[in-house]
Amino acid sequence: MLKKTVLNSAHRAINARMVDFGGWDMPVNYGSQIEEHHAVRKDCGMFDVSHMCPVDVVGPDCRAFLSRLVANDVAKLQVSGKALYAAMLNEAGGVIDDLIIYFLTESRFRIVVNAGTAEKDLAWMQAKVTEWQLDVSITQRRDGDDALGIIAVQGPNARSKVWQVLPQTQAATEGLKAFFAAEVDQYFIASTGYTGEDGFEIMLPSAKAEGLWNALKDAGVAPCGLGARDTLRLEAGMNLYGQDMDETVSPLDAGLSWTVAMKDERNFVGKAALTANGQKQQFLGLILLDKGVLRGHQQVITKQGNGEITSGSFSPTLQQSIALARLPLGVAVGDEVEVDIRGKLLKAKVTKPVFARNGKAVI
């Protein structure tokens, strides 16, 4: 039996094409995936991300707990509402999950973890609370009476559309810079996203999620599925857990070294392994020069040795095939490499791993 988000009936009411996404019955598109992609880059689109799992971390030892739990430094979180992207590692330095941490008060933080890793994440967190003997309670907010729905509204017109539908939230959110959140009555509104565009991720009581979804749709916000979400995040150079990194991959090899605070004396889970092993590969972008489509697990042949594509697809914004790849150290932006596509070696150019953001190509 597939799990369903609170918006499942709303998707089916407008004839979404539903697929099994990690055990969840989710919309892949509502018609044209390309049109949904362009709506977000040029205007405004929305995504049901209620399968993601909000987790409330409460108690006097919150900061001490999180400072040991994740590789990024929660000491950066000093202003209420500030968010931090971080990787939670195992002792071998592999990525258990990538997540966003919101600082609300010294005794209250909120974490959003990936849908498919939620159960193992919660078990890992609870085990660490017990092991470290800290005064912290961990509560998931995806299921139960106090469950939250999450709608991501993304695109250059996202803010104005949200304020049109939720005018009472404008005063508290119009000044939000990237990676901040504000709480307005029953709404938790964060200026975070997964598309490379401006917008909000809105958490609200599950019972009210369908009403907000329909109101946004009536205001002209395009419903968008997982297909467009994947091409948008790929163009923006954003990692997808399970493809671009997992428990066997170091964040240093997955382009996430910027999220790893190694220089201070803080000891976090996995730090010793990262220190001992260092970086062994680099995370870069590829643009296919020949005709074809780049896909995950295709082999990349370089003068420094072989690498592998982790995520690849056709880019609607660039009108070219693009990919993210783990490549040998020494490969440089601008190098020409070859990709093995069904036994044929096709030429590709190495780029920085960001292809499009804020409505336009950046390469």
Side-chain angles (χ1 to χ4, degrees):
M1 179 75 71
L2 294 179
K3 298 177 183 177
K4 297 179 180 180
T5 74
V6 68
L7 293 172
N8 189 272
S9 61
H11 303 316
R12 293 187 173 278
I14 51 176
N15 299 315
R17 185 162 75 88
M18 307 297 286
V19 297
D20 180 350
F21 180 72
W24 288 84
D25 188 38
M26 296 294 291
V28 68
N29 59 55
Y30 300 83
S32 168
Q33 178 179 321
I34 298 294
E35 289 179 6
E36 292 169 18
H37 179 106
H38 288 314
V40 174
R41 285 274 180 257
K42 298 175 181 179
D43 184 10
C44 182
M46 62 181 174
F47 303 85
D48 175 13
V49 287
S50 303
H51 59 313
M52 304 286 281
C53 186
V55 179
D56 286 344
V57 179
V58 178
D61 293 335
C62 281
R63 192 176 289 274
F65 168 62
L66 293 172
S67 71
R68 297 176 68 178
L69 184 75
V70 298
N72 212 339
D73 189 0
V74 294
K76 299 173 184 176
L77 299 176
Q78 295 296 327
V79 178
S80 181
K82 185 74 179 76
L84 183 73
Y85 177 72
M88 183 168 66
L89 309 181
N90 56 27
E91 296 292 353
V95 182
I96 294 174
D97 198 11
D98 64 324
L99 40 83
I100 296 179
I101 301 170
Y102 298 94
F103 167 57
L104 302 172
T105 71
E106 282 299 323
S107 60
R108 181 172 168 247
F109 289 71
R110 174 166 289 172
I111 304 175
V112 177
V113 304
N114 280 303
T117 58
E119 290 184 9
K120 73 168 183 177
D121 288 0
L122 287 163
W124 178 266
M125 291 177 191
Q126 190 57 61
K128 290 303 176 185
V129 168
T130 302
E131 178 185 342
W132 298 332
Q133 298 183 333
L134 297 175
D135 188 354
V136 172
S137 68
I138 297 171
T139 307
Q140 64 83 17
R141 299 290 301 278
R142 187 171 66 182
D143 305 302
D145 294 338
D146 59 352
L148 300 173
I150 313 176
I151 299 173
V153 188
Q154 301 278 286
N157 295 321
R159 291 184 180 227
S160 62
K161 291 293 187 182
V162 169
W163 295 330
Q164 179 183 333
V165 173
L166 298 174
Q168 71 273 30
T169 68
Q170 182 169 352
T173 60
E174 61 185 349
L176 283 185
K177 298 178 181 179
F179 260 65
F180 273 86
E183 292 184 283
V184 185
D185 300 325
Q186 60 195 339
Y187 302 101
F188 184 96
I189 302 177
S191 56
T192 49
Y194 196 50
T195 64
E197 298 299 325
D198 191 20
F200 294 134
E201 292 183 307
I202 305 170
M203 303 182 208
L204 74 166
S206 288
K208 296 185 178 294
E210 187 169 347
L212 177 59
W213 178 272
N214 288 330
L216 288 166
K217 179 169 64 68
D218 292 344
V221 180
C224 300
L226 294 173
R229 186 171 170 83
D230 192 54
T231 52
L232 288 160
R233 71 91 193 168
L234 176 59
E235 288 185 348
M238 296 179 174
N239 291 43
L240 174 62
Y241 190 84
Q243 284 189 206
D244 302 305
M245 77 288 201
D246 57 31
E247 291 192 31
T248 69
V249 177
S250 160
L252 306 181
D253 296 342
L256 298 177
S257 57
W258 61 277
T259 72
V260 180
M262 296 282 286
K263 295 182 179 179
D264 55 36
E265 296 182 357
R266 179 180 61 99
N267 188 28
F268 58 85
V269 177
K271 184 177 184 179
L274 297 186
T275 302
N277 297 329
Q279 183 179 353
K280 296 181 178 179
Q281 294 175 298
Q282 56 182 331
F283 198 67
L284 293 167
L286 296 175
I287 292 181
L288 188 63
L289 301 178
D290 292 329
K291 288 186 178 180
V293 180
L294 300 176
R295 300 290 188 195
H297 303 298
Q298 290 170 345
Q299 191 174 61
V300 184
I301 294 91
T302 82
K303 293 179 181 178
Q304 290 80 11
N306 293 345
E308 184 181 29
I309 289 176
T310 56
S311 291
S313 185
F314 176 79
S315 162
T317 303
L318 274 64
Q319 291 291 297
Q320 288 178 278
S321 189
I322 63 173
L324 300 174
R326 275 194 292 277
L327 302 176
L329 299 177
V331 175
V333 170
D335 285 357
E336 192 172 288
V337 298
E338 293 179 314
V339 180
D340 186 341
I341 301 180
R342 297 192 183 94
K344 295 179 65 175
L345 297 181
L346 302 185
K347 294 179 181 178
K349 183 180 179 180
V350 179
T351 72
K352 292 181 178 179
V354 178
F355 304 92
R357 284 193 178 189
N358 299 317
K360 59 185 178 182
V362 297
I363 288 180

